[in-house]
Amino acid sequence: MPYYLKIGEIPRKHHIWFHRNGEGPGYKNEGIYYEHVVTTEGFNEAFSIMYHLRPPTRVRNVKLLKCEELKKATDSPLRHHHLKTANIPRNGDFYTGRIPILFNQDVVAYRSRPEKAYDKFQYYRNGGADEIIFVFKGGGTLESVFGKQLYRAEDYIVIPRGITYRLVPDNVEEEDYLILESVGPVRIPHRYMNKEGQIKMGSPYSERDLHGPTEPLTIDKDEDTEILVKDGPRWTQVTMAHHPFDVVGWDGYVYPFTFNAQDFEPITGTVHQPPPIHQTFEIRGYVVCTFAPRMLDTHPEAVRIPWVHDNVEADEVLFYVRGNFGSRRGIEPASITLHPRGIPHGPHPGTIMASKNATRTEELAVMFDTQHTLELTEQAVALDDQKYPQSWLE
Ligand SMILES: [Fe+2]
């Protein structure tokens, strides 16, 4: 989790009375704010403590909407895949219109090109997984129980599980995301942290590049509010007896934050460096890396694009954002390639020689490498370029 942040008003110690000053409707006029502790890993790891106008436990009703397990496509051999996702028809809203593409026990990758911001529900909570929303295109405001924060194109928006939020886009027709739903918590790679809990110098980003909520969002409303809650395959409608965004202040290490891919400081060498230099997040069962625009290798004899490689113990996925990807042909923005274990992959024919005099690449891509095999959904198979496995032939 990022770093200590404090927004709004909080009492001077944990777990003491926090009296409300002045007038206000308040919950039954008890005259206090209600403490709410949000913890991770069983109270042992990062936590935040927030203060509500009303207890966040005031649930009027819960209703099961559906329970739908992801289905894997079963008619595909082990091979490389190229999914062209730029022109997926716009579909549904922010929460229910997500199209599952790849999944295993640790992560579900979705593409999301919403047709409208909201359908029945404006407010959403993922109770079972942390979400990484990579904003391929778009921008707006993320409103959550922790307050307001802006997001923009090429941001990773990291939303820890259990946080009620809604996205308020500047223009919904622009919004286009890659979403990674993570069963394990999304963390800053351990090797980037010093023993004091600060991001080490020499890491590809610092605390200044991570942005949390900037102001509280305190809505004092006694009306029933519907929240769509997802946990794994189950979707539940939760009716709160008041508006969930009623926090006057909070502090701690757990909150939604953004990191923009353009702020990733690439580490380069005299010869080609391996993918871990691009690592951005660490999650149980997979990693997320950012291939940011960068200077290419400077050794006079350096081959400036990646070597052929086998990911012996990983499935490798790239989501291409922009720029010309030097080692690939036929790839376009919003292409997704899956290079699974068991088959080597590498530069396409002609790209090694073509890169000989290159000094810089403007490519931007998001990579995620998984420990366990990824399954394709039927929606993914429909987007697949059947000829991709032969694209390494001259
Ligand atoms: Fe690779």
Side-chain angles (χ1 to χ4, degrees), residues 140-153:
T141 306
L142 170 69
E143 293 181 359
S144 78
V145 70
F146 287 87
K148 278 186 178 186
Q149 61 205 98
L150 299 178
Y151 68 91
R152 64 189 169 109

Side-chain angles (χ1 to χ4, degrees), residues 316-341:
E316 179 191 298
V317 183
L318 271 161
F319 177 72
Y320 302 83
V321 179
R322 63 176 155 87
N324 184 25
F325 226 72
S327 61
R328 294 264 172 282
R329 290 190 321 199
I331 296 295
E332 55 192 37
S335 279
I336 293 175
T337 56
L338 166 62
H339 299 139
R341 71 207 63 207

Side-chain angles (χ1 to χ4, degrees), residues 190-209:
H190 199 64
R191 64 194 165 90
Y192 293 171
M193 309 297 290
N194 65 25
K195 287 201 281 285
E196 317 289 339
Q198 188 177 20
I199 299 174
K200 287 180 189 172
M201 294 179 86
S203 300
Y205 54 84
S206 76
E207 284 85 353
R208 294 185 197 181
D209 300 314

Side-chain angles (χ1 to χ4, degrees), residues 254-274:
V254 176
Y255 50 87
F257 67 92
T258 61
F259 169 65
N260 195 277
Q262 294 172 39
D263 287 328
F264 190 91
E265 289 296 327
I267 295 164
T268 57
T270 62
V271 293
H272 186 71
Q273 299 296 297

Side-chain angles (χ1 to χ4, degrees), residues 69-354:
E69 296 285 352
L70 288 172
K71 280 199 207 98
K72 65 175 184 181
T74 53
D75 55 354
S76 177
L78 176 71
R79 67 169 178 84
H80 296 319
H81 296 273
H82 174 198
L83 317 174
K84 294 189 177 187
T85 74
N87 297 315
I88 295 176
R90 291 200 162 265
N91 176 56
D93 69 6
F94 280 137
Y95 318 120
T96 61
R98 300 173 180 187
I99 298 169
I101 301 286
L102 298 164
F103 68 99
N104 67 15
Q105 63 263 58
D106 299 310
V107 58
V108 185
Y110 301 87
R111 285 284 283 120
S112 169
R113 288 168 41 78
E115 194 175 28
K116 56 191 162 189
Y118 321 111
D119 190 2
K120 189 173 174 198
F121 298 92
Q122 290 199 25
Y123 300 100
Y124 168 81
R125 179 160 82 222
N126 196 323
D130 286 12
E131 292 184 351
I132 302 173
I133 301 176
F134 179 77
V135 183
F136 175 52
K137 288 182 183 155
T141 306
L142 170 69
E143 293 181 359
S144 78
V145 70
F146 287 87
K148 278 186 178 186
Q149 61 205 98
L150 299 178
Y151 68 91
R152 64 189 169 109
E154 299 176 2
D155 267 349
Y156 295 93
I157 311 173
V158 178
I159 306 175
R161 70 203 61 206
I163 292 177
T164 305
Y165 72 85
R166 74 167 177 170
L167 294 167
V168 183
D170 294 336
N171 177 3
V172 71
E173 289 165 17
E174 286 285 310
E175 299 299 288
D176 197 328
Y177 315 121
L178 170 76
I179 299 175
L180 302 175
E181 195 182 70
S182 305
V183 175
V186 177
R187 298 203 185 280
I188 295 162
H190 199 64
R191 64 194 165 90
Y192 293 171
M193 309 297 290
N194 65 25
K195 287 201 281 285
E196 317 289 339
Q198 188 177 20
I199 299 174
K200 287 180 189 172
M201 294 179 86
S203 300
Y205 54 84
S206 76
E207 284 85 353
R208 294 185 197 181
D209 300 314
L210 307 176
H211 307 283
T214 49
E215 55 181 294
L217 175 59
T218 316
I219 300 174
D220 183 2
K221 225 187 235 176
D222 245 337
E223 291 167 15
D224 285 5
T225 309
E226 311 288 356
I227 305 171
L228 178 63
V229 179
K230 179 181 192 297
D231 68 311
R234 182 168 53 185
W235 299 76
T236 302
Q237 174 178 332
V238 175
T239 308
M240 295 280 299
H242 62 272
H243 200 290
F245 296 172
D246 69 339
V247 170
V248 296
W250 61 270
D251 75 338
Y253 280 65
V254 176
Y255 50 87
F257 67 92
T258 61
F259 169 65
N260 195 277
Q262 294 172 39
D263 287 328
F264 190 91
E265 289 296 327
I267 295 164
T268 57
T270 62
V271 293
H272 186 71
Q273 299 296 297
I277 58 156
H278 305 286
Q279 191 178 355
T280 309
F281 300 117
E282 174 176 279
I283 308 107
R284 195 170 62 229
Y286 78 106
V287 296
V288 174
C289 298
T290 305
F291 287 74
R294 62 194 179 279
M295 296 305 290
L296 292 169
D297 323 308
T298 51
H299 190 286
E301 293 176 77
V303 177
R304 296 197 168 85
I305 55 174
W307 358 263
V308 168
H309 54 283
D310 267 284
N311 351 306
V312 175
E313 294 172 344
D315 279 6
E316 179 191 298
V317 183
L318 271 161
F319 177 72
Y320 302 83
V321 179
R322 63 176 155 87
N324 184 25
F325 226 72
S327 61
R328 294 264 172 282
R329 290 190 321 199
I331 296 295
E332 55 192 37
S335 279
I336 293 175
T337 56
L338 166 62
H339 299 139
R341 71 207 63 207
I343 317 172
H345 67 279
H348 272 118
T351 56
I352 298 177
M353 297 310 290

Side-chain angles (χ1 to χ4, degrees), residues 354-371:
S355 72
K356 202 166 181 194
N357 297 315
T359 56
R360 210 185 137 72
T361 175
E362 298 306 325
E363 70 194 22
L364 177 67
V366 173
M367 184 176 89
F368 58 101
D369 263 22
T370 66
Q371 187 185 349

